[in-house]
Amino acid sequence: MSIELKLSRASRIYQPSEPLEGKIIVKSSSSISHYGVRLTVNGSVNLQIRGGSAGIIESLYGVVKPISILNKSTEVRPSGKIGSGTTEIPFSVFLRQPGKDNLERFYETFHGANISAQYLVTVDIIRGYLHKTLSATVEFIVESDKDDLLERPVSPEMVIFYITQDTQRHPLLLELKSGGFRVTGKMSTQCSLSDPITGELTVEASAVPIYSIDIHLLRVESILLGEKIVTEASLIQSTQIADGDVCHNMTLPIYIILPRLLTCPTILAGPFSIEFKVSVVISFQSQLYKLHPKSDPTTPTLWTAMESLPLELVRTR
């Protein structure tokens, strides 16, 4: 015997003002009695403090109390029997009650290192004390209502940057410090989630040959814990835009697609915040790089130069 939840949309993407629709599929070799088929929709923001980003006292707490967004339960079918073979039970439930003043805020689905906004729909077929309750759970994705979105297009705010040996705050190889290098470019710092991050980069001069140029996309998650704010930056994805010693004074395009579940609109809420930034990382050819090929890409090293820019993400119509 098996139970399956199948949503009406293959993408599983819904907006708060839309009904969550689908069907419950029960496959059984014989008919079964039950005490009701119940559907539960739950949404919450889960906050977690990891030991590496907090002190000893904070790390003892581990998990901060989740923030409830949505919790609805409805009976899809009253007690009775489900026949043998395949039975399909349709359902439809509104996430946000239409026509009423809804004060709750629906955060978009997001899966981070310390913060996650998740929405789940669960079906339970209650079979009494002598039989185990049959359950199935599916995650669905919530995106902002179209009425709450900005009109397209978002004007791309381009920020000009330059990277030299004098802009670096960490120690560099002696040959980099003495010989010097200069990389200039521009990049969009406000971006729609449905559009790529764009820009360009030019290597004007470099005394040491370049090994690689990468663009790191990072999330910056902050959680309010008592009177303290615990903040941690972590890598989402890395995109290589140049491999090897590139020609000087040649413009390199920057074009980065944003991953869906690992990004969301920038959030500045009371108990937590989710922000983003991009880092331009230039790795120079060095024997030290060969000795440490698996070093943390977000940590400055003697053979790398980097520049970080804040990134505001928004969702548009």
Side-chain angles (χ1 to χ4, degrees):
M1 183 174 183
S2 65
I3 179 172
E4 179 188 359
L5 261 174
K6 191 171 183 179
L7 299 180
S8 59
R9 299 175 184 174
S11 65
R12 297 183 288 125
I13 298 175
Y14 294 85
Q15 296 175 2
S17 60
E18 296 178 326
L20 179 69
E21 297 178 328
K23 54 187 176 182
I24 304 159
I25 303 173
V26 182
K27 294 181 180 179
S28 176
S29 57
S30 59
S31 62
I32 60 168
S33 299
H34 64 86
Y35 292 93
V37 179
R38 182 159 291 274
L39 193 78
T40 303
V41 183
N42 183 270
S44 63
V45 178
N46 301 304
L47 311 173
Q48 181 176 346
I49 304 294
R50 296 193 294 177
S53 60
I56 297 175
I57 300 298
E58 289 86 352
S59 62
L60 291 176
Y61 290 94
V63 178
V64 183
K65 185 179 179 181
I67 301 171
S68 179
I69 303 173
L70 171 70
N71 195 327
K72 283 188 175 183
S73 185
T74 181
E75 189 176 64
V76 179
R77 180 172 286 190
S79 58
K81 280 190 175 184
I82 295 177
S84 60
T86 301
T87 303
E88 295 186 355
I89 305 171
F91 66 84
S92 177
V93 57
F94 276 96
L95 302 179
R96 174 180 281 163
Q97 198 65 29
K100 290 187 177 182
D101 293 332
N102 295 281
L103 302 178
E104 71 270 17
R105 179 176 178 182
F106 281 77
Y107 298 102
E108 289 203 8
T109 298
F110 172 76
H111 293 282
N114 299 321
I115 301 173
S116 65
Q118 190 175 39
Y119 297 85
L120 301 172
V121 54
T122 301
V123 60
D124 293 308
I125 299 179
I126 305 165
R127 301 193 61 200
Y129 296 107
L130 300 178
H131 299 88
K132 186 178 179 182
T133 298
L134 299 173
S135 301
T137 300
V138 169
E139 180 181 8
F140 62 97
I141 300 167
V142 169
E143 291 185 356
S144 301
D145 277 316
K146 290 183 179 179
D147 292 342
D148 300 333
L149 300 181
L150 298 172
E151 290 286 351
R152 289 181 66 93
V154 173
S155 57
E157 293 186 6
M158 289 285 182
V159 170
I160 296 173
F161 63 88
Y162 67 95
I163 307 172
T164 69
Q165 67 278 8
D166 297 325
T167 64
Q168 303 305 295
R169 298 180 179 179
H170 64 280
L172 295 171
L173 293 170
L174 182 60
E175 53 266 37
L176 281 174
K177 199 72 176 174
S178 58
F181 57 90
R182 182 177 176 85
V183 177
T184 61
K186 60 182 180 179
M187 194 183 309
S188 54
T189 56
Q190 186 186 47
C191 185
S192 170
L193 284 161
S194 56
D195 295 334
I197 301 172
T198 57
E200 59 184 42
L201 179 146
T202 303
V203 179
E204 296 183 2
S206 179
V208 178
I210 290 174
Y211 180 82
S212 176
I213 301 178
D214 302 272
I215 307 293
H216 294 331
L217 174 63
L218 301 105
R219 58 190 158 229
V220 182
E221 299 167 297
S222 300
I223 299 173
L224 180 64
L225 190 62
E227 297 180 354
K228 182 179 179 181
I229 298 176
V230 180
T231 301
E232 183 178 7
S234 55
L235 181 67
I236 298 175
Q237 72 176 24
S238 181
T239 305
Q240 186 183 50
I241 63 169
D243 184 18
D245 194 21
V246 299
C247 296
H248 293 181
N249 297 311
M250 183 178 75
T251 300
L252 301 175
I254 296 173
Y255 191 94
I256 301 168
I257 302 295
L258 296 169
R260 170 58 193 94
L261 292 179
L262 303 179
T263 55
C264 67
T266 299
I267 299 173
L268 299 173
F272 71 96
S273 66
I274 302 172
E275 299 171 276
F276 301 91
K277 65 180 180 179
V278 285
S279 291
V280 182
V281 181
I282 304 165
S283 302
F284 296 91
Q285 295 182 21
S286 168
Q287 292 296 324
L288 287 174
Y289 181 84
K290 296 177 181 178
L291 294 174
H292 306 278
K294 294 184 179 180
S295 58
D296 184 359
T298 62
T299 303
T301 61
L302 293 171
W303 59 89
T304 60
M306 59 177 60
E307 179 70 24
S308 294
L309 303 171
L311 175 66
E312 182 185 2
L313 296 180
V314 297
R315 189 170 297 285
T316 55
R317 294 184 186 180

Coordinates of all heavy atoms in Angstrom, one line a residue, residues 193-258:
L193 N 15.8 38.5 -9.8 CA 16.1 37.1 -9.6 C 16.0 36.3 -10.9 O 16.5 35.3 -11.1 CB 15.2 36.5 -8.6 CG 15.6 36.9 -7.1 CD1 14.4 36.6 -6.2 CD2 16.8 36.1 -6.7
S194 N 15.2 36.9 -11.9 CA 15.0 36.2 -13.1 C 16.0 36.6 -14.2 O 16.0 36.1 -15.3 CB 13.6 36.4 -13.7 OG 13.3 37.8 -13.8
D195 N 16.9 37.5 -13.8 CA 17.9 38.0 -14.8 C 19.3 37.6 -14.3 O 19.5 37.4 -13.1 CB 17.8 39.5 -14.9 CG 16.5 40.0 -15.6 OD1 15.9 39.2 -16.3 OD2 16.1 41.1 -15.3
P196 N 20.3 37.6 -15.2 CA 21.6 37.3 -14.8 C 22.3 38.5 -14.2 O 21.9 39.6 -14.4 CB 22.3 36.8 -16.1 CG 21.6 37.6 -17.1 CD 20.1 37.7 -16.6
I197 N 23.4 38.2 -13.4 CA 24.3 39.3 -13.0 C 25.2 39.6 -14.2 O 25.8 38.7 -14.7 CB 25.1 38.9 -11.8 CG1 24.2 38.5 -10.6 CG2 26.1 40.0 -11.3 CD1 24.9 37.9 -9.4
T198 N 25.3 40.8 -14.6 CA 26.1 41.2 -15.8 C 27.1 42.2 -15.4 O 27.1 42.9 -14.4 CB 25.2 41.7 -16.9 OG1 24.5 42.8 -16.4 CG2 24.2 40.7 -17.4
G199 N 28.1 42.3 -16.3 CA 29.2 43.3 -16.1 C 30.3 43.0 -17.0 O 30.2 42.2 -18.0
E200 N 31.5 43.6 -16.8 CA 32.7 43.3 -17.6 C 33.9 43.5 -16.7 O 33.8 44.2 -15.7 CB 32.7 44.2 -18.8 CG 32.6 45.7 -18.5 CD 32.6 46.5 -19.8 OE1 31.8 46.1 -20.7 OE2 33.3 47.5 -19.9
L201 N 35.0 43.0 -17.2 CA 36.3 43.1 -16.4 C 37.4 43.1 -17.4 O 37.4 42.5 -18.5 CB 36.4 41.8 -15.5 CG 37.6 41.6 -14.7 CD1 37.2 41.0 -13.3 CD2 38.7 40.8 -15.4
T202 N 38.4 43.9 -17.1 CA 39.6 44.1 -17.9 C 40.9 44.0 -17.1 O 41.0 44.7 -16.1 CB 39.6 45.4 -18.7 OG1 38.4 45.5 -19.4 CG2 40.8 45.6 -19.6
V203 N 41.8 43.1 -17.5 CA 43.1 43.1 -16.9 C 44.0 44.1 -17.6 O 44.4 43.9 -18.7 CB 43.7 41.7 -17.0 CG1 45.1 41.6 -16.3 CG2 42.8 40.6 -16.3
E204 N 44.4 45.2 -16.9 CA 45.2 46.2 -17.6 C 46.7 45.9 -17.4 O 47.4 46.2 -18.4 CB 44.8 47.6 -16.9 CG 43.4 48.0 -17.2 CD 43.1 49.4 -16.6 OE1 44.0 50.0 -16.1 OE2 42.0 49.9 -16.8
A205 N 47.1 45.3 -16.3 CA 48.5 45.0 -16.1 C 48.6 44.0 -15.0 O 47.8 43.9 -14.1 CB 49.3 46.3 -15.8
S206 N 49.7 43.2 -15.1 CA 50.0 42.2 -14.1 C 51.4 41.7 -14.2 O 51.8 41.2 -15.3 CB 49.0 41.0 -14.1 OG 49.3 40.1 -13.1
A207 N 52.2 41.9 -13.2 CA 53.6 41.5 -13.2 C 53.7 39.9 -13.1 O 54.7 39.4 -13.6 CB 54.4 42.1 -12.1
V208 N 52.7 39.3 -12.5 CA 52.7 37.8 -12.3 C 51.6 37.3 -13.2 O 50.5 37.8 -13.2 CB 52.5 37.4 -10.9 CG1 52.4 35.9 -10.7 CG2 53.6 38.0 -10.0
P209 N 51.8 36.2 -14.0 CA 50.8 35.6 -14.8 C 49.6 35.2 -14.0 O 49.7 34.7 -12.9 CB 51.5 34.4 -15.5 CG 52.9 34.7 -15.4 CD 53.1 35.5 -14.2
I210 N 48.4 35.4 -14.6 CA 47.1 35.0 -13.9 C 46.8 33.6 -14.1 O 47.0 33.0 -15.2 CB 46.0 35.9 -14.4 CG1 46.2 37.4 -13.9 CG2 44.6 35.4 -13.9 CD1 45.2 38.4 -14.4
Y211 N 46.4 32.9 -13.1 CA 46.0 31.5 -13.2 C 44.5 31.3 -13.5 O 44.1 30.5 -14.3 CB 46.3 30.7 -11.8 CG 45.9 29.3 -11.8 CD1 46.8 28.3 -12.4 CD2 44.7 28.9 -11.3 CE1 46.4 27.0 -12.4 CE2 44.4 27.5 -11.3 CZ 45.3 26.6 -11.8 OH 44.9 25.3 -11.9
S212 N 43.6 32.2 -12.8 CA 42.2 32.1 -13.0 C 41.5 33.3 -12.4 O 42.0 34.0 -11.5 CB 41.6 30.8 -12.2 OG 40.2 30.8 -12.3
I213 N 40.3 33.7 -13.0 CA 39.5 34.7 -12.5 C 38.1 34.2 -12.3 O 37.5 33.6 -13.2 CB 39.4 35.9 -13.5 CG1 40.8 36.5 -13.8 CG2 38.5 37.0 -12.9 CD1 40.8 37.7 -14.7
D214 N 37.6 34.3 -11.1 CA 36.4 33.7 -10.7 C 35.5 34.7 -10.0 O 36.0 35.7 -9.4 CB 36.6 32.5 -9.7 CG 37.4 31.4 -10.3 OD1 36.9 30.5 -10.9 OD2 38.7 31.5 -10.1
I215 N 34.2 34.6 -10.2 CA 33.2 35.4 -9.5 C 32.5 34.5 -8.5 O 31.8 33.5 -8.8 CB 32.1 36.0 -10.5 CG1 32.8 36.7 -11.6 CG2 31.2 36.9 -9.7 CD1 33.6 38.0 -11.2
H216 N 32.6 34.9 -7.2 CA 31.9 34.1 -6.1 C 30.6 34.8 -5.7 O 30.6 36.0 -5.5 CB 32.8 34.0 -4.9 CG 34.0 33.2 -5.1 ND1 34.1 32.2 -6.0 CD2 35.3 33.3 -4.5 CE1 35.3 31.6 -5.9 NE2 36.1 32.3 -5.1
L217 N 29.5 34.0 -5.7 CA 28.3 34.5 -5.2 C 28.1 34.0 -3.7 O 28.2 32.8 -3.5 CB 27.1 34.0 -6.0 CG 25.7 34.3 -5.6 CD1 25.4 35.9 -5.6 CD2 24.7 33.7 -6.5
L218 N 27.9 35.0 -2.8 CA 27.9 34.6 -1.4 C 26.6 35.1 -0.8 O 26.0 36.1 -1.2 CB 29.0 35.2 -0.6 CG 30.4 34.8 -1.1 CD1 31.1 35.9 -1.8 CD2 31.3 34.4 0.1
R219 N 26.1 34.3 0.2 CA 24.9 34.8 1.0 C 25.5 35.3 2.4 O 26.4 34.7 2.9 CB 23.9 33.6 1.2 CG 24.5 32.4 1.9 CD 23.6 31.2 1.8 NE 24.4 30.0 2.0 CZ 24.4 28.9 1.2 NH1 23.5 28.9 0.2 NH2 25.1 27.9 1.4
V220 N 24.9 36.3 2.9 CA 25.3 36.8 4.2 C 24.0 36.7 5.1 O 23.1 37.5 5.0 CB 25.7 38.3 4.1 CG1 26.2 38.8 5.5 CG2 26.9 38.4 3.1
E221 N 24.1 35.7 6.0 CA 22.9 35.5 6.9 C 23.2 36.0 8.3 O 24.2 35.7 8.9 CB 22.6 34.0 6.9 CG 22.3 33.3 5.6 CD 22.4 31.8 5.6 OE1 23.5 31.3 5.9 OE2 21.3 31.2 5.4
S222 N 22.2 36.8 8.8 CA 22.3 37.3 10.1 C 21.1 36.9 11.0 O 20.0 37.0 10.5 CB 22.4 38.9 10.1 OG 23.6 39.3 9.3
I223 N 21.4 36.5 12.2 CA 20.3 36.1 13.1 C 20.5 36.9 14.4 O 21.6 37.0 15.0 CB 20.4 34.6 13.4 CG1 20.3 33.8 12.1 CG2 19.4 34.1 14.4 CD1 20.5 32.3 12.2
L224 N 19.4 37.4 14.9 CA 19.4 38.1 16.2 C 19.2 37.1 17.3 O 18.3 36.4 17.4 CB 18.2 39.1 16.2 CG 18.0 39.9 17.5 CD1 19.3 40.8 17.7 CD2 16.8 40.8 17.5
L225 N 20.2 37.1 18.2 CA 20.3 36.1 19.3 C 20.4 36.9 20.6 O 21.5 37.3 20.9 CB 21.4 35.1 19.1 CG 21.4 33.9 20.1 CD1 20.2 33.1 19.9 CD2 22.7 33.1 19.9
G226 N 19.3 37.2 21.3 CA 19.4 38.0 22.5 C 19.7 39.5 22.0 O 19.0 40.1 21.2
E227 N 20.8 40.0 22.5 CA 21.2 41.4 22.2 C 22.3 41.3 21.1 O 22.9 42.4 20.8 CB 21.6 42.1 23.4 CG 20.5 42.3 24.4 CD 21.0 43.1 25.6 OE1 22.2 43.4 25.7 OE2 20.1 43.5 26.5
K228 N 22.6 40.2 20.7 CA 23.7 40.0 19.7 C 23.2 39.6 18.4 O 22.3 38.8 18.2 CB 24.7 38.9 20.3 CG 25.9 38.7 19.4 CD 26.9 37.7 20.0 CE 28.1 37.4 19.2 NZ 29.0 36.4 19.7
I229 N 23.9 40.1 17.3 CA 23.6 39.6 15.9 C 24.7 38.7 15.4 O 25.9 39.2 15.4 CB 23.4 40.9 15.0 CG1 22.3 41.7 15.5 CG2 23.2 40.4 13.6 CD1 22.1 43.0 14.6
V230 N 24.4 37.5 15.1 CA 25.4 36.5 14.6 C 25.3 36.5 13.1 O 24.2 36.3 12.5 CB 25.1 35.1 15.2 CG1 26.1 34.1 14.6 CG2 25.1 35.2 16.7
T231 N 26.4 36.9 12.4 CA 26.4 37.0 11.0 C 27.5 36.0 10.4 O 28.6 35.9 11.0 CB 26.8 38.4 10.6 OG1 25.8 39.3 11.1 CG2 26.8 38.6 9.0
E232 N 27.1 35.4 9.3 CA 28.0 34.5 8.6 C 27.8 34.6 7.1 O 26.7 34.6 6.6 CB 27.8 33.0 9.1 CG 28.8 32.1 8.5 CD 28.6 30.6 9.0 OE1 27.6 30.3 9.7 OE2 29.4 29.8 8.6
A233 N 28.9 34.6 6.4 CA 28.9 34.6 5.0 C 29.4 33.3 4.5 O 30.3 32.7 5.0 CB 29.8 35.7 4.4
S234 N 28.7 32.7 3.5 CA 29.0 31.4 2.9 C 28.9 31.4 1.4 O 28.1 32.2 0.9 CB 28.2 30.3 3.6 OG 26.8 30.6 3.4
L235 N 29.6 30.6 0.8 CA 29.6 30.5 -0.7 C 28.4 29.8 -1.2 O 28.1 28.7 -0.8 CB 30.9 29.8 -1.2 CG 31.2 29.7 -2.7 CD1 31.4 31.0 -3.3 CD2 32.3 28.8 -2.9
I236 N 27.7 30.4 -2.2 CA 26.6 29.7 -2.9 C 27.1 29.0 -4.2 O 26.9 27.9 -4.4 CB 25.5 30.8 -3.3 CG1 24.9 31.4 -2.1 CG2 24.4 30.1 -4.1 CD1 23.9 32.5 -2.3
Q237 N 27.8 29.8 -5.0 CA 28.4 29.2 -6.2 C 29.6 30.0 -6.7 O 29.7 31.2 -6.4 CB 27.3 29.1 -7.3 CG 26.9 30.4 -8.0 CD 26.0 30.3 -9.1 OE1 25.2 29.3 -9.2 NE2 25.9 31.3 -10.0
S238 N 30.4 29.4 -7.5 CA 31.6 30.0 -8.1 C 31.5 29.9 -9.6 O 31.3 28.8 -10.1 CB 32.8 29.4 -7.5 OG 34.0 30.1 -8.0
T239 N 31.7 31.0 -10.3 CA 31.7 31.0 -11.8 C 33.0 31.5 -12.3 O 33.5 32.6 -12.0 CB 30.6 31.9 -12.3 OG1 29.3 31.5 -11.7 CG2 30.5 31.8 -13.8
Q240 N 33.7 30.6 -13.1 CA 35.0 31.0 -13.7 C 34.7 31.8 -15.0 O 34.0 31.3 -15.8 CB 35.9 29.8 -14.0 CG 37.3 30.1 -14.4 CD 38.1 28.9 -14.8 OE1 37.6 28.0 -15.5 NE2 39.3 28.8 -14.2
I241 N 35.3 33.0 -15.0 CA 35.2 33.8 -16.3 C 36.5 33.9 -17.1 O 36.4 34.4 -18.2 CB 34.7 35.2 -15.9 CG1 35.7 36.0 -15.1 CG2 33.3 35.2 -15.2 CD1 35.4 37.5 -15.0
A242 N 37.6 33.4 -16.5 CA 38.8 33.4 -17.3 C 39.7 32.2 -16.7 O 39.8 32.0 -15.5 CB 39.6 34.7 -17.2
D243 N 40.3 31.5 -17.6 CA 41.2 30.4 -17.3 C 42.6 30.6 -17.9 O 42.7 30.7 -19.1 CB 40.6 29.1 -17.8 CG 41.5 27.9 -17.4 OD1 42.3 28.0 -16.4 OD2 41.3 26.8 -18.0
G244 N 43.6 30.8 -17.0 CA 44.9 31.1 -17.6 C 45.2 32.6 -17.6 O 44.4 33.4 -17.3
D245 N 46.4 32.9 -18.1 CA 46.9 34.3 -18.2 C 46.2 35.0 -19.4 O 46.5 34.8 -20.6 CB 48.4 34.3 -18.4 CG 48.9 35.7 -18.1 OD1 48.3 36.5 -17.4 OD2 50.1 36.0 -18.6
V246 N 45.2 35.8 -19.1 CA 44.4 36.4 -20.2 C 45.2 37.6 -20.8 O 46.1 38.1 -20.2 CB 43.0 36.9 -19.6 CG1 42.2 35.8 -19.0 CG2 43.3 38.0 -18.5
C247 N 44.7 37.9 -22.0 CA 45.4 39.1 -22.7 C 45.0 40.4 -22.0 O 43.9 40.6 -21.5 CB 44.8 39.1 -24.1 SG 45.3 37.7 -25.2
H248 N 46.0 41.2 -21.9 CA 45.8 42.5 -21.2 C 45.0 43.4 -22.1 O 45.1 43.4 -23.3 CB 47.2 43.1 -20.8 CG 47.9 42.3 -19.8 ND1 49.2 42.7 -19.3 CD2 47.6 41.2 -19.1 CE1 49.6 41.8 -18.4 NE2 48.6 40.9 -18.3
N249 N 44.2 44.3 -21.4 CA 43.4 45.3 -22.1 C 42.3 44.7 -23.0 O 41.8 45.3 -23.9 CB 44.2 46.3 -22.8 CG 45.2 47.1 -21.9 OD1 44.7 47.6 -20.9 ND2 46.5 47.1 -22.3
M250 N 41.9 43.4 -22.7 CA 40.8 42.8 -23.4 C 39.6 42.7 -22.4 O 39.8 42.2 -21.3 CB 41.2 41.4 -23.9 CG 40.1 40.7 -24.7 SD 40.6 39.1 -25.3 CE 40.5 38.1 -23.8
T251 N 38.5 43.1 -22.9 CA 37.3 43.2 -22.0 C 36.7 41.8 -21.9 O 36.4 41.1 -22.9 CB 36.2 44.1 -22.6 OG1 36.8 45.4 -22.6 CG2 35.0 44.2 -21.7
L252 N 36.5 41.3 -20.7 CA 35.9 40.0 -20.4 C 34.5 40.2 -19.9 O 34.2 40.9 -19.0 CB 36.7 39.2 -19.4 CG 38.2 38.9 -19.7 CD1 38.8 38.3 -18.5 CD2 38.3 38.0 -20.9
P253 N 33.5 39.5 -20.5 CA 32.1 39.7 -20.1 C 31.9 38.9 -18.8 O 32.4 37.8 -18.6 CB 31.3 39.1 -21.2 CG 32.2 38.1 -21.9 CD 33.6 38.6 -21.7
I254 N 31.0 39.4 -18.0 CA 30.5 38.8 -16.7 C 29.0 38.4 -16.9 O 28.2 39.3 -17.2 CB 30.7 39.6 -15.5 CG1 32.2 39.9 -15.3 CG2 30.1 39.0 -14.2 CD1 32.5 40.9 -14.2
Y255 N 28.7 37.2 -16.8 CA 27.3 36.7 -17.0 C 27.0 35.6 -16.1 O 27.5 34.5 -16.3 CB 27.1 36.3 -18.5 CG 25.6 36.1 -18.9 CD1 24.9 37.2 -19.4 CD2 25.0 34.9 -18.7 CE1 23.6 37.0 -19.8 CE2 23.7 34.7 -19.1 CZ 23.0 35.7 -19.6 OH 21.7 35.5 -20.0
I256 N 26.2 35.8 -15.0 CA 26.1 34.8 -14.0 C 24.6 34.5 -13.8 O 23.8 35.4 -13.4 CB 26.7 35.2 -12.7 CG1 28.2 35.4 -12.9 CG2 26.5 34.2 -11.6 CD1 28.9 36.1 -11.7
I257 N 24.1 33.2 -13.9 CA 22.8 32.8 -13.7 C 22.6 32.6 -12.2 O 23.4 31.9 -11.6 CB 22.4 31.6 -14.5 CG1 22.6 31.8 -16.0 CG2 21.0 31.2 -14.2 CD1 21.7 32.9 -16.6
L258 N 21.5 33.1 -11.6 CA 21.3 32.9 -10.2 C 20.6 31.6 -9.9 O 19.6 31.2 -10.6 CB 20.4 34.0 -9.6 CG 21.1 35.4 -9.7 CD1 20.0 36.5 -9.4 CD2 22.2 35.5 -8.7

